[in-house]
Amino acid sequence: MGGRTSLDLIWDQIQIQYAAIIRAQRIMYVADQDDMIKELKKATYMPSSLEEETVEEIQPEPDITAEEFSFQFSWDRHATFLNAQSRAMGELRRLIKQFEELAHAKDERRLRLKQIELTIEKTKKAVREEKEEDLQIMIKRKEDDS
């Protein structure tokens, strides 16, 4: 372990966990309620029937006879993401608490930890504000064209 302390290992875990949370936000992004993923799960192929006068170098393309798809709807993906993120944030909080209990007061990593915590709080605040944005409705009278 090259002289690394248990505190160093906890710090490494904090950084890995934080990076995983940020990466998961990109991977699990759901654009809107109509965002759906359709993946080909299984396909059955049959050889193509070509005339007998085909050139030997040309390989016929197989015909797809049956396809089976898997669908991932936005609400399922979003629910899965929220559950996973909640568990990941809980683990991150546990690691941070453990680090703070073990680290001495002048450890420079405490400042980095504070920065991570502030970034998380800023992100949470932005999400709350996005949900609370007022909807503006403009009513315009239809003008007579006569």
Side-chain angles (χ1 to χ4, degrees):
M1 293 197 354
R4 298 187 59 80
T5 67
S6 58
L7 195 57
D8 293 332
L9 297 176
I10 293 170
W11 177 251
D12 292 344
Q13 279 301 113
I14 288 171
Q15 290 180 311
I16 291 168
Q17 188 69 20
Y18 182 64
I21 289 168
I22 300 300
R23 184 170 182 261
Q25 290 176 351
R26 288 188 191 134
I27 292 170
M28 299 293 287
Y29 177 74
V30 176
D32 58 28
Q33 69 183 26
D34 298 324
D35 192 2
M36 179 182 67
I37 295 175
K38 177 182 172 183
E39 291 182 5
L40 181 62
K41 191 174 173 182
K42 181 180 176 183
T44 307
Y45 299 95
M46 294 295 283
S48 186
S49 57
L50 293 176
E51 297 177 13
E52 292 179 18
E53 299 177 12
T54 59
V55 179
E56 289 182 21
E57 292 89 32
I58 299 175
Q59 293 294 325
E61 291 290 323
D63 293 330
I64 298 175
T65 58
E67 293 179 321
E68 187 178 326
F69 291 94
S70 171
F71 295 93
Q72 293 178 344
F73 296 99
S74 60
W75 53 87
D76 288 335
R77 290 176 40 225
H78 193 64
T80 301
F81 168 66
L82 289 176
N83 287 331
Q85 186 180 40
S86 181
R87 286 190 308 274
M89 292 296 283
E91 177 65 13
L92 180 62
R93 277 191 298 274
R94 187 186 67 74
L95 288 167
I96 289 171
K97 184 177 178 183
Q98 190 176 7
F99 181 86
E100 287 176 339
E101 289 171 357
L102 295 174
H104 58 80
K106 293 186 179 185
D107 193 321
E108 69 184 42
R109 294 174 290 197
R110 282 181 170 269
L111 292 174
R112 287 190 231 151
L113 239 163
K114 193 66 177 170
Q115 185 179 12
I116 289 172
E117 290 172 336
L118 290 173
T119 303
I120 290 170
E121 286 304 314
K122 183 179 176 184
T123 303
K124 284 181 181 178
K125 183 179 177 187
V127 168
R128 279 194 306 271
E129 286 175 356
E130 185 177 302
K131 288 180 181 177
E132 295 172 357
E133 279 184 7
D134 292 336
L135 177 64
Q136 261 189 344
I137 300 174
M138 182 185 290
I139 300 173
K140 186 176 178 184
R141 294 193 183 271
K142 183 178 177 181
E143 296 182 19
D144 289 356
D145 293 334
S146 53

